[in-house]
Amino acid sequence: LGGSPVVMIWKAKAVLNTLIKESGGDLSEVFQEIEKRIGQDVFWVSLGEDLYDPNGPDLNDPMLRAIDAVCPLLGDSFPPGETRPWREYLDKVSTSYALWVRGARKAGFLFIPSALPGFDDRAFKAGQNRLLGLDPQGFHESLSLAKETAKEGSNWLSIYGFNEWFESGAIEPTKEYGLRFLEALKEAVD
């Protein structure tokens, strides 16, 4: 980004709060010290749902004043054990993304919307048994939503799961779907 490295931190709150405790400073000071040591500015992105809340940003959260951007993975909080239909998921994410775009403008950080082909954490011991079925059409609609949201601020979008096979988050060609996910991506960015 303008010659600066982009650092995406998954589980940003847990990681960064540890850094803050260890340094005894605030997050901005931690970031400044890291940038000083490497000799360049860094573009800091919170990746995942620990800072992202589907109900909108908490503009009093000091982490939002220090981070450069927020990028959700799922865009919605799934209660444990829930299967979410695509239409319901997209409606909730659309509402949430609008709240985040407004909050990001107000607080001075970027909001980077995500698109995903599906999500399934039922195979994980630490998973929450959540399911959004793998679906090329759902992915296409998710991409369209992310693309429209990105036009309102960041001009970026993220794709969760190029090859996250274990979480039904893969857009690579398969026997079952062929190139349908990659075709949806091409159509969305053309």
Side-chain angles (χ1 to χ4, degrees):
L1 184 69
S4 296
V6 175
V7 176
M8 299 183 105
I9 305 169
W10 184 64
K11 300 265 184 192
K13 276 197 170 191
V15 170
L16 297 175
N17 281 330
T18 300
L19 283 174
I20 292 167
K21 285 178 188 173
E22 289 175 2
S23 71
D26 71 16
L27 186 56
S28 295
E29 291 170 355
V30 171
F31 285 164
Q32 288 170 2
E33 182 62 25
I34 292 169
E35 291 169 350
K36 180 180 162 187
R37 289 183 187 199
I38 66 170
Q40 62 183 344
D41 289 336
V42 173
F43 190 81
W44 300 99
V45 181
S46 168
L47 180 65
E49 268 61 32
D50 67 333
L51 186 57
Y52 176 84
D53 180 338
N55 297 313
D58 174 1
L59 298 180
N60 295 316
D61 187 330
M63 209 165 283
L64 287 179
R65 289 191 292 278
I67 205 95
D68 295 306
V70 173
C71 179
L73 294 179
L74 302 179
D76 186 20
S77 58
F78 285 61
E82 184 169 305
T83 297
R84 182 68 49 98
W86 269 97
R87 181 76 273 142
E88 181 183 334
Y89 165 79
L90 291 166
D91 289 345
K92 287 183 178 242
V93 169
S94 177
T95 300
S96 178
Y97 281 6
L99 295 170
W100 274 87
V101 167
R102 284 193 300 274
R105 280 191 194 126
K106 187 174 183 178
F109 63 90
L110 290 180
F111 176 68
I112 303 169
S114 292
L116 70 160
F119 182 80
D120 182 355
D121 71 353
R122 296 176 297 171
F124 287 102
K125 185 185 283 187
Q128 296 181 28
N129 198 28
R130 300 169 298 174
L131 174 65
L132 177 68
L134 192 63
D135 179 47
Q137 182 59 38
F139 178 56
H140 184 272
E141 291 179 39
S142 180
L143 282 164
S144 296
L145 173 59
K147 184 178 176 182
E148 287 305 308
T149 302
K151 288 179 185 177
E152 298 179 42
S154 68
N155 207 28
W156 293 23
L157 65 87
S158 170
I159 297 173
Y160 174 64
F162 181 79
N163 61 359
E164 300 272 352
W165 294 102
F166 52 91
E167 287 184 336
S168 287
I171 63 172
E172 292 176 317
T174 64
K175 286 183 180 179
E176 183 178 0
Y177 294 107
L179 298 171
R180 289 177 59 200
F181 288 103
L182 294 176
E183 289 164 350
L185 176 58
K186 182 181 185 304
E187 185 178 314
V189 297
D190 280 345

